[in-house]
Amino acid sequence: MSDRVVIALAHNLLLRGFQVASPGREALDGTPTHALFGVVQALRRAIDFKTPARALAVLDAGLSPPSALAPQVPLLPALLEALGFRVIEDEQPEDLVASYARAALEAGGDGVGVARDKRCAQLVEDRLWWYDAYKDVRYTPELVRKRFEVGPDQVAEWLALVGDDTALRGVKGLGKKSATELLETFGTVAAALAAAGGLEGRLRKALRAARGAIPAELALA
């Protein structure tokens, strides 16, 4: 497809760069830049496969960065613009990435969502990929099933059960295999919770203890 849009969840990439990039890089005034360097590497890998027709970067308007990362945050918008990205700021950046990605499909093009957030796997379709830039993996529907043991349409439910490295804590004592089996049997987390009383002891106890802890809204809009 010639009309490809690359959409980056920019602060997500910056936070990940802060975690994994080696410290020691600095601007001339002494401002640390290693997290920004990680973002540059990630985005260059993302667009290397095919130059997109459009490139968007969504910033989190409500970001509260770690104090050690804070000096690098104000430098991010200009860096993104220098790389050719149109910069947008929003209180719900994940939802905005989803909206732009789906708009690209409706317009007949294709899209690549660039982020470290596992929840982006639920957006994957035949012409819409999630690119985990720090692992250099471009997820297709088949690869999502291999990685998460469920299809894109159930990734949010699966992560709600097993947890991830965002705000989803998961169900204590519930492993990936059990989460997959529950979704294969009941289809949704809500249905599994409703049927908890008829399950075996360990699963029943884990699901009952998790009531109220699993977020009601699981999917990206």
Side-chain angles (χ1 to χ4, degrees):
M1 292 281 179
S2 58
D3 189 15
R4 168 166 296 179
V5 58
V6 168
I7 311 162
L9 195 55
H11 278 147
N12 177 262
L13 295 176
L14 185 69
L15 288 167
R16 186 58 178 171
F18 178 68
Q19 294 169 347
V20 303
S22 299
R25 297 180 183 274
E26 296 181 346
L28 292 178
D29 63 359
T31 302
T33 59
H34 66 288
L36 295 165
F37 179 74
V39 173
V40 172
Q41 287 186 309
L43 292 178
R44 282 182 173 174
R45 284 193 292 266
I47 63 177
D48 186 56
F49 177 74
K50 181 179 179 181
T51 302
R54 291 172 292 149
L56 306 174
V58 183
L59 301 176
D60 184 352
L63 180 73
S64 297
S67 58
L69 175 59
Q72 300 185 58
V73 174
L75 303 177
L76 182 59
L79 174 65
L80 294 168
E81 291 174 351
L83 291 172
F85 283 76
R86 175 190 172 196
V87 179
I88 303 169
E89 191 170 9
D90 195 85
E91 293 285 350
Q92 300 293 332
E94 298 87 356
D95 293 348
L96 198 59
V97 167
S99 296
Y100 275 110
R102 289 176 177 136
L105 296 189
E106 292 173 1
D110 61 27
V112 180
V114 187
R116 187 67 179 89
D117 193 327
K118 298 184 183 72
R119 292 174 296 173
C120 288
Q122 68 191 276
L123 302 177
V124 173
E125 301 181 24
D126 289 337
R127 291 186 290 115
L128 181 57
W129 301 273
W130 164 43
Y131 181 64
D132 184 343
Y134 285 98
K135 289 191 175 181
D136 195 21
V137 178
R138 185 186 299 267
Y139 283 88
T140 62
E142 293 74 20
L143 194 55
V144 168
R145 292 186 185 93
K146 182 177 180 181
R147 168 72 171 79
F148 295 97
E149 302 179 2
V150 295
D153 60 322
Q154 288 188 310
V155 165
E157 304 273 350
W158 191 83
L159 288 173
L161 291 172
V162 303
D164 69 355
D165 51 7
T166 64
L168 300 178
R169 292 178 293 171
V171 177
K172 186 176 181 179
L174 190 69
K176 296 179 180 180
K177 181 178 179 180
S178 295
T180 302
E181 291 175 349
L182 284 171
L183 292 178
E184 287 176 346
T185 302
F186 300 105
T188 67
V189 173
L193 289 171
L199 299 176
E200 296 179 358
R202 180 179 62 83
L203 286 177
R204 181 173 63 249
K205 182 178 180 180
L207 288 175
R208 283 183 168 177
R211 288 184 184 276
I214 296 177
E217 297 295 334
L218 300 174
L220 299 181

